[in-house]
C-alpha cells in the first residue's frame, strides 16, 4: 500500500489583473518506489527540498508531471541522481533516452503493484493521472489539472475555461471519478468522491455526446 503526502496544496486566483497559480505537489511512497508528482514553479526548489527532508525522503525514483505547464514541471531537474524515469505528460525519459508508451491509445503505465499512470488528456493534449492504492484512503488519484479544485465539480466554468478539449476532459473526469475514492486536484486540496459528483460528471458527458 502507498503513503500519500501532499507537500503543498495548489491554488489559482485572479489579483490585480493577473492570474496567480501554483500546483498541488505530492509525494507517494509505495513499498518499492517513491514518486513526486508535479514539482511547482522553478522558484519553489528550496521549499520542496526542505519539505522532503522534513518528511524523510532521501531519494525519488520517479518524477511525474501531470502535464507540461511550467507550474507542474519547475523542479524536475532537482531529481536526476539515481532516478528511474521522468514522466512529463505522455513523455517518458531518463537523461537523453526516451521510452515510447502508447498513452495516446489509452494504455495505462504501471510503475509497480500499487501505482498506475492513467492517460487523462483534456486540459492539454497529454495529461496523465497517477492512481494509487493507499493505506487509509482507498484508491487515490493525483490528477493534475484534470480537476482544478473541488469547486470545479459544481462550477464547470473553473475547468472548462482552461481546457484544450472539454469533451475529452469531461469523459476522463468521469472515468477517474468512477475509479477512485479520493482525488488530489491540480490547484486545490484533496476531496472525497461522492455519488453526486459522478452523476454531475455523467450529465456533462451526456451533454457533449459521444467523443469525436
Ligand atoms: Zn496547473
Amino acid at each position: 500500500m502507498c503513503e500519500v503526502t501532499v507537500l503543498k496544496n495548489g491554488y489559482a486566483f485572479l489579483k490585480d489583473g493577473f492570474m496567480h497559480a501554483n500546483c498541488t505537489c505530492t509525494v507517494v511512497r509505495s513499498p518499492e518506489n517513491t514518486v513526486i508528482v508535479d514539482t511547482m514553479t522553478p522558484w519553489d526548489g528550496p521549499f520542496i527540498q526542505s519539505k522532503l527532508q522534513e518528511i524523510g525522503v532521501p531519494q525519488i525514483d520517479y518524477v511525474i508531471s501531470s502535464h507540461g505547464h511550467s507550474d507542474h514541471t519547475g523542479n524536475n531537474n532537482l531529481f536526476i541522481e539515481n532516478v528511474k524515469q521522468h514522466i512529463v505528460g505522455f513523455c517518458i525519459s531518463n537523461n537523453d533516452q526516451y521510452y515510447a508508451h502508447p498513452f495516446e491509445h489509452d494504455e495505462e503505465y504501471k510503475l509497480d503493484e500499487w501505482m498506475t499512470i492513467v492517460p487523462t488528456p483534456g486540459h492539454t493534449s497529454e495529461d496523465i493521472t497517477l492512481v494509487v492504492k493507499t493505506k487509509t484512503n482507498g484508491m487515490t488519484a493525483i490528477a493534475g489539472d484534470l480537476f482544478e479544485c473541488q469547486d470545479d465539480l459544481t462550477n464547470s466554468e473553473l475547468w472548462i475555461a482552461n481546457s484544450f478539449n472539454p469533451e475529452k476532459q469531461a469523459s476522463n473526469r468521469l472515468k477517474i471519478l468512477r475509479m477512485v475514492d479520493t482525488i488530489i486536484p491540480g490547484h486545490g486540496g484533496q476531496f472525497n468522491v461522492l455519488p453526486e459528483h459522478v452523476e454531475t460528471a455523467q450529465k456533462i458527458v451526456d451533454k457533449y455526446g459521444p467523443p469525436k
Side-chain angles (χ1 to χ4, degrees), residues 19-93:
M19 176 60 87
H20 298 257
N22 210 337
C23 73
T24 306
C25 176
T26 309
V27 166
V28 185
R29 283 171 275 192
S30 84
E32 282 172 14
N33 291 294
T34 300
V35 171
I36 188 163
V37 186
D38 286 343
T39 59
M40 306 177 73
T41 80
W43 286 262
D44 298 302
F47 166 79
I48 290 177
Q49 281 176 312
S50 79
K51 269 290 185 190
L52 290 178
Q53 201 162 17
E54 191 184 307
I55 66 169
V57 169
Q59 169 65 33
I60 295 289
D61 299 301
Y62 291 95
V63 176
I64 297 177
S65 293
S66 59
H67 60 292
H69 288 164
S70 61
D71 56 331
H72 298 257
T73 57
N75 294 288
N76 288 7
N77 72 347
L78 288 181
F79 310 105
I80 52 176
E81 291 296 326
N82 303 314
V83 75
K84 290 179 183 171
Q85 286 176 333
H86 281 209
I87 303 160
V88 178
F90 288 4
C91 182
I92 307 175
S93 67

Side-chain angles (χ1 to χ4, degrees), residues 170-181:
S171 85
N172 282 321
R173 283 165 62 90
L174 179 60
K175 175 163 98 174
I176 293 299
L177 285 165
R178 281 189 178 141
M179 197 182 281
V180 302
D181 304 292

Side-chain angles (χ1 to χ4, degrees), residues 94-109:
N94 183 327
N95 205 324
D96 66 349
Q97 202 165 327
Y98 284 80
Y99 310 91
H101 179 83
F103 284 122
E104 67 276 17
H105 298 302
D106 221 21
E107 282 207 27
E108 298 178 350
Y109 183 63

Side-chain angles (χ1 to χ4, degrees), residues 112-187:
D112 58 32
E113 202 182 310
W114 306 272
M115 298 196 278
T116 301
I117 295 174
V118 180
T120 52
H123 172 66
T124 69
S125 59
E126 298 199 352
D127 306 83
I128 51 175
T129 293
L130 180 67
V131 174
V132 306
K133 295 177 190 162
T134 70
K135 279 180 200 153
T136 47
N137 283 315
M139 297 295 281
T140 297
I142 299 125
D145 293 359
L146 180 65
F147 297 89
E148 277 278 318
C149 57
Q150 180 167 12
D151 288 348
D152 86 3
L153 294 163
T154 45
N155 179 2
S156 302
E157 230 358 83
L158 290 175
W159 65 267
I160 290 174
N162 299 314
S163 185
F164 169 73
N165 185 332
E167 288 89 341
K168 219 173 224 182
Q169 191 167 351
S171 85
N172 282 321
R173 283 165 62 90
L174 179 60
K175 175 163 98 174
I176 293 299
L177 285 165
R178 281 189 178 141
M179 197 182 281
V180 302
D181 304 292
T182 167
I183 291 175
I184 295 173
H187 294 272

